[in-house]
Amino acid sequence: MEDQGVSANMKRILLAINCLILSVGVCGGPLMMRLYFVEGGSRIWLSSWLQAGGWPLTLIPLAILYFYRRKIQGSYAKLYLITPRVFVAAFVIGIATGLDGFFYSWGGSKLPVSTSSLLIATQLAFTAIGAFFIVNLKFTSYSINAVVVLTVGAVLLGIRVNSDRPEGVTSKDYIIGFIMVLLAASLYGVILPCIELIYMKAKQVITATLVLEIQMVICFAATAFCTVGMIANKDFLAISREAKQYNLGEARYYIVLVWSAIIWQCFYVGAIGVIYCSSALMSGVLLAVLLPVTEVLAVFFFNEKFSGEKGLALFLSLWGFVSYMYGEYKQSKKQKNKSQENEMITNHTGSV
């Protein structure tokens, strides 16, 4: 039953589904954001708002799960499962998520997708460090190596900050954008372990319904935060004017906004779903492994330059990913062997 948790096999299926959803968000989100800015969009708070503004879409699967519970439990089925304690924690994380979206949008408005994606890959390093302090993740030589090479990759990109500066962007703006994307990566690296901590401290069964409710609260809070920013920056008043001046036309301007909100929602649903089915660090690893896909799409759609520095940084990112995954494989194998040994000892003791 959905409210009683899920089996190991079902979790693997859910993990695969959430990985697919996350892939759409990771690859499509940055491209849609860059399309908005490249074709004449300039509202950073609006771009930030779009990253979380699709939260009402979560009501659809929540409604389906509710009617499923009604079918099983009858009138005893609860309309929602989230407790006030978890709600407050998710809301606070949502405010941080809104700030993270602002950092990323600011950086994304000044940097090519290929560069910003490489910088976001450092989020795996920040997630590993955050998970170490927040959820007591144990470091291995492989995970330490992954953190180091990803950090080196970011430093490498910073050596020649003007090598791929878009037309019309000053050196100062480019550097600020560079720093903003790194801030976004570091903040999100803390947010993911905090979400995992909510699951650990919730004091209730973590179900698909509860995960979606937490995700909805996070995105609602992020949207509220960005809405305040939009009001202060008078973005709502500027939307119609910006739409009329958009290079692709007024109708396509609104299409870009709508699809941006939908695709970014895939990112949040997928990321939080992967944490539920696996861990915060696994979510960070997927962000890193999808990097080459985003790189290729950026070069294809926006004709971005792919310099030697980016190639080496990409290699280091993939190296960090492979190192982490191999470490996880070794750790899993070690734990499996240990469990088998303990089971053999228990069976032997019982037979005696």
Side-chain angles (χ1 to χ4, degrees), residues 140-214:
T140 65
S141 58
Y142 300 101
S143 57
I144 292 174
N145 179 66
V147 170
V148 171
V149 297
L150 284 167
T151 304
V152 171
V155 172
L156 182 65
L157 284 175
I159 293 175
R160 292 180 61 188
V161 294
N162 285 321
S163 61
D164 66 343
R165 180 160 51 92
E167 185 178 348
V169 177
T170 65
S171 296
K172 181 181 178 182
D173 286 342
Y174 188 96
I175 293 172
I176 293 175
F178 193 95
I179 294 171
M180 284 295 182
V181 174
L182 279 180
L183 284 174
S186 61
L187 181 54
Y188 202 66
V190 175
I191 288 172
L192 290 179
C194 286
I195 295 172
E196 186 174 354
L197 185 64
I198 288 181
Y199 294 160
M200 294 170 61
K201 303 291 185 179
K203 295 182 179 179
Q204 62 185 117
V205 177
I206 305 300
T207 65
T209 295
L210 182 60
V211 169
L212 285 171
E213 288 176 355
I214 291 173

Side-chain angles (χ1 to χ4, degrees), residues 236-247:
F236 287 107
L237 298 176
I239 289 176
S240 60
R241 181 175 67 253
E242 189 174 70
K244 293 175 182 176
Q245 299 172 351
Y246 199 61
N247 294 339

Side-chain angles (χ1 to χ4, degrees), residues 202-319:
K203 295 182 179 179
Q204 62 185 117
V205 177
I206 305 300
T207 65
T209 295
L210 182 60
V211 169
L212 285 171
E213 288 176 355
I214 291 173
Q215 182 267 332
M216 187 174 71
V217 172
I218 289 173
C219 286
F220 171 78
T223 303
F225 176 83
C226 293
T227 299
V228 173
M230 288 184 67
I231 293 172
N233 200 45
K234 299 181 180 179
D235 280 9
F236 287 107
L237 298 176
I239 289 176
S240 60
R241 181 175 67 253
E242 189 174 70
K244 293 175 182 176
Q245 299 172 351
Y246 199 61
N247 294 339
L248 298 179
E250 186 174 358
R252 290 183 180 177
Y253 173 84
Y254 291 109
I255 291 174
V256 169
L257 297 190
V258 170
W259 275 105
S260 293
I262 293 172
I263 292 175
W264 275 119
Q265 199 59 31
C266 289
F267 171 82
Y268 285 110
V269 170
I272 294 176
V274 169
I275 295 173
Y276 163 61
C277 298
S278 181
S279 67
L281 198 52
M282 180 61 184
S283 185
V285 166
L286 275 172
L287 294 180
V289 76
L290 290 167
L291 173 64
V293 180
T294 308
E295 290 281 329
V296 171
L297 291 174
V299 172
F300 179 77
F301 285 112
F302 298 113
N303 297 316
E304 294 184 358
K305 298 177 182 177
F306 195 78
S307 62
E309 291 88 354
K310 290 184 183 180
L312 188 51
L314 177 59
F315 170 75
L316 290 173
S317 297
L318 294 176
W319 179 9

Side-chain angles (χ1 to χ4, degrees), residues 14-26 266 270 274 286 290:
L14 287 174
L15 178 60
I17 293 172
N18 280 290
C19 286
L20 181 61
I21 295 173
L22 180 60
S23 299
V24 173
V26 170
C266 289
V274 169
L286 275 172
L290 290 167

